[in-house]
Amino acid sequence: MTDAHEMSRRRILCVFPLYAPSFATFEYAYPLTDGIRACMPPQGLLLIAAAVPHGWQVRFVDGNIAPATDEDYAWAEVVLVSGMHIQRRQIDAIRHRAHSFDRTTVLGGPSVSACPHYYPHFDYLHVGEMGDATDELFARLARDPTRPRRQVVLTTRTRRELADFPLPAYELAQLDRYLTGSIQFSSGCPYECEFCDIPALYGRQPRFKTPQQVTAELDKLLASGLRGAVYFVDDNFIAHRRAVRELLPHLIDWQKRNGYPLALSCEATLNIAKRPDILELMREALFESIFCGIETPDPDSLKAIAKQHNMMVPILEAVRTLNDYGFEVVSGIILGLDTDTAASGRGVLEFIERSNIAMLTINLLQALPRTPLWDRLERDGRLIEDEDRESNVDFLMPYDQVLAMWRDCMARAYRPEAVLARYAYQVRETYSKRIKPRRRRPSWRDVRRGLHMLRRILWEIGIRGDYRRDFWKFALPLLVRGDVEPVIRVGLMAHHLIVFARGASSGRHNASHYSSKVRMQQMAAE
């Protein structure tokens, strides 16, 4: 006879929704690889998958790699979903499909935590980070996994310390199908940029994991099949500088002990350029790129959006400093700010040319709930709910003029000759500054994978591509001296940027990663 303990063992299906094409998803690079289908594994859902009570069965499906099957839904008792605002339609599509199997649905993550009212039809809403709400959710499901009569909203009041987090369930993910791995060290950011919802969601007092947790996660990523690179998904890697200084020596020791198997990257505020002690340690740990939300090169605009910390060091000087340590800077740029003028687009293009930043995510301003920007625009009656628009902001400049400026910037910044010239600069002035560690000998699988990607790049871009002349101008000198790695890296990244920008400038892609505008390629559901 089945006892109560056996009856409380649940079958949990964790489903992550599909992303719409964007700068950050790199989907146009995937056909040039050996089977990569998604950018990085979702940290939050893999963390929840690891936190379920002992003995529960868990399946994980990332819709960016393959959709969940009917068999998955038939097997499950409960379907857990997480996602961002940009995935809202796909989130609800998963819910609809799960309910067609009469499965209990649970939604957590940043979108529902900011806007629970967006999701009236889920059975359970988990609002906030992992904590007492998570414990209550699991207790309820252990007692009864069937759908409640009405929606239950569980809100975290006491957050679990990051130092008490389990290792994410990386073993459930097909890590060899991702462009890069992901890992979280800290949560929260002390700054209050007007457009950012991170302080409201995760707090201004940064919290962090122990160095031992981070290196254990890196061990697990390797054991689970990850190769190549890891991105620290922290909202601001240097939000707690003392903790970062304590972490970095452990990362260095881990890299040396394992033969430098992973290149690292992160997101940080531009004032990291003022911390040479941290930069030197990051360089030794083999950090290779840093995403910095520069947003705009205009000082008055930075003050208006509460981003004054970008001016602690002159922006171009800060970028050059990071390049001198071997860090490629990736930048976020926003158009449509209240301080923008007809000349703002030209100013952005001049900044791109002078900075030689190869990859910039150029977005139209979008107001997110639980931000100072949202509150200000709501007070002023400048929020627009119109899914045919590229932004929910009533710009001070004419909408069509702002949109045309964005499309012109995209077209000019990502002309093949322009982006490949910037990458050539990065190879000369940035990549050459990186340490040359004694790395472990690549496996035959790694060699075969690299050769496959090189062959695809040379054929699809160098032979068949319509910008092959610009590609060979970049690639041939490197190939002649046997420097193959940047040809592969840049071939993948530049191709995605060029193809995406062509679609964006012609109106086939959204003008913001956060835009709710619906396009045909977004309609495929789980």
Side-chain angles (χ1 to χ4, degrees), residues 129 159 187-207 235-236 306 309 368-372:
E129 294 182 79
R159 292 183 292 206
S187 180
C189 181
Y191 299 108
E192 289 187 292
C193 305
E194 188 187 39
F195 54 84
C196 182
D197 60 358
I198 295 305
L201 291 176
Y202 306 118
R204 294 188 62 196
Q205 182 63 42
R207 294 161 292 123
D235 306 301
N236 183 0
H309 47 277
L368 299 178
R370 301 189 66 181
T371 63

Side-chain angles (χ1 to χ4, degrees), residues 264-320:
L264 308 178
S265 56
C266 68
E267 178 174 341
T269 43
L270 193 60
N271 56 358
I272 192 175
K274 292 186 60 172
R275 306 293 173 182
D277 54 333
I278 292 177
L279 296 178
E280 185 54 49
L281 290 171
M282 289 177 65
R283 180 175 180 270
E284 194 173 347
L286 204 62
F287 277 82
E288 291 189 346
S289 67
I290 302 176
F291 181 95
C292 296
I294 292 174
E295 319 309 355
T296 172
D298 178 56
D300 291 334
S301 297
L302 289 172
K303 292 177 184 177
I305 60 175
K307 197 96 180 183
Q308 296 95 325
H309 47 277
N310 270 4
M311 297 184 290
M312 290 183 178
V313 178
I315 292 178
L316 290 174
E317 180 183 327
V319 172
R320 283 192 292 270

